[in-house]
Amino acid sequence: MFLIEKIKKSLFPFYRSAEIKKIFNILNSEKRGQAMFVGGCVRKYILNEKIDDIDIATTLTPNEIMERFENTDVKVKKTGIEHGTLTLIIRDQKFEITTLRKDVSTDGRHADVEFTDDWKEDSARRDFTINAIYLDQTGKIFDPMSGVNDLKNNKINFIGDPNIRIKEDYLRILRFIRFSIHYQ
């Protein structure tokens, strides 16, 4: 059974589902805008684990995203619009989509953000290298923080100075422990 599942995942990766293709076709329908998977779904894809949630990063602003899905069967919920996050719902499947951003200021838990279209800038504000791995709709990896290498070697590395990253958001301590237990 394991071999059959492995072959199935190889021939039919998660990013080839009809729902995902539809979402990416809409997101990437015009020259302005680009979207890629990020976070847990990318980590799980690389490690051949079951994918249970899908996060998408995009250069589109929340307003541009809402406009693109306006006359479609994809529902858009404003789940964290002040931070650039929306939830797309299609056939009972949810996709969290967030505009690329950079942190302007932080208070130990929340950040004031500014939107950007720079993928490296977005990756630099993330907590760990393994959370800054992007995957495009064709399965090509973009890894500006060398997270794939850390993931394959079971290393949880902060992006930048760990003391500064923790001061930006104290929950990163708990995330570090959780990831360390899971990946070691």
Side-chain angles (χ1 to χ4, degrees), residues 52-156:
D52 51 7
D53 69 321
I54 297 177
D55 293 331
I56 300 169
T58 183
T59 56
L60 298 170
T61 65
N63 286 337
E64 290 172 318
I65 295 166
M66 288 186 289
E67 285 174 16
R68 294 224 179 158
F69 288 97
E70 204 167 53
N71 296 314
T72 70
D73 64 343
V74 179
K75 294 179 191 171
V76 179
K77 293 198 174 209
K78 300 175 186 178
T79 48
I81 196 163
E82 65 279 357
H83 293 104
T85 302
L86 300 167
T87 301
L88 305 176
I89 304 166
I90 182 173
R91 297 185 195 105
D92 296 325
Q93 190 171 3
K94 294 180 181 179
F95 304 88
E96 189 170 278
I97 183 164
T98 303
T99 302
L100 301 186
R101 59 195 185 201
K102 63 181 178 179
D103 293 345
V104 176
S105 65
T106 61
D107 66 4
R109 180 58 199 113
H110 301 98
D112 290 324
V113 298
E114 189 175 288
F115 300 140
T116 182
D117 61 0
D118 186 326
W119 291 92
K120 287 184 181 180
E121 192 169 39
D122 181 75
S123 70
R125 63 158 292 281
R126 294 180 179 272
D127 49 8
F128 309 111
T129 59
I130 64 169
N131 284 337
I133 307 167
Y134 303 88
L135 180 78
D136 74 10
Q137 73 185 86
T138 67
K140 183 179 176 190
I141 290 176
F142 175 60
D143 185 18
M145 298 294 160
S146 301
V148 172
N149 190 47
D150 288 343
L151 186 62
K152 290 184 176 180
N153 290 303
N154 297 318
K155 292 185 178 184
I156 308 304

Side-chain angles (χ1 to χ4, degrees), residues 146-178:
S146 301
V148 172
N149 190 47
D150 288 343
L151 186 62
K152 290 184 176 180
N153 290 303
N154 297 318
K155 292 185 178 184
I156 308 304
N157 286 318
F158 280 92
I159 295 172
D161 182 338
N163 292 316
I164 293 171
R165 302 322 303 254
I166 290 168
K167 286 178 184 173
E168 291 170 347
D169 183 349
Y170 293 112
L171 283 182
R172 287 179 172 160
I173 295 168
L174 297 175
R175 288 173 56 83
F176 178 81
I177 293 168
R178 181 174 63 99

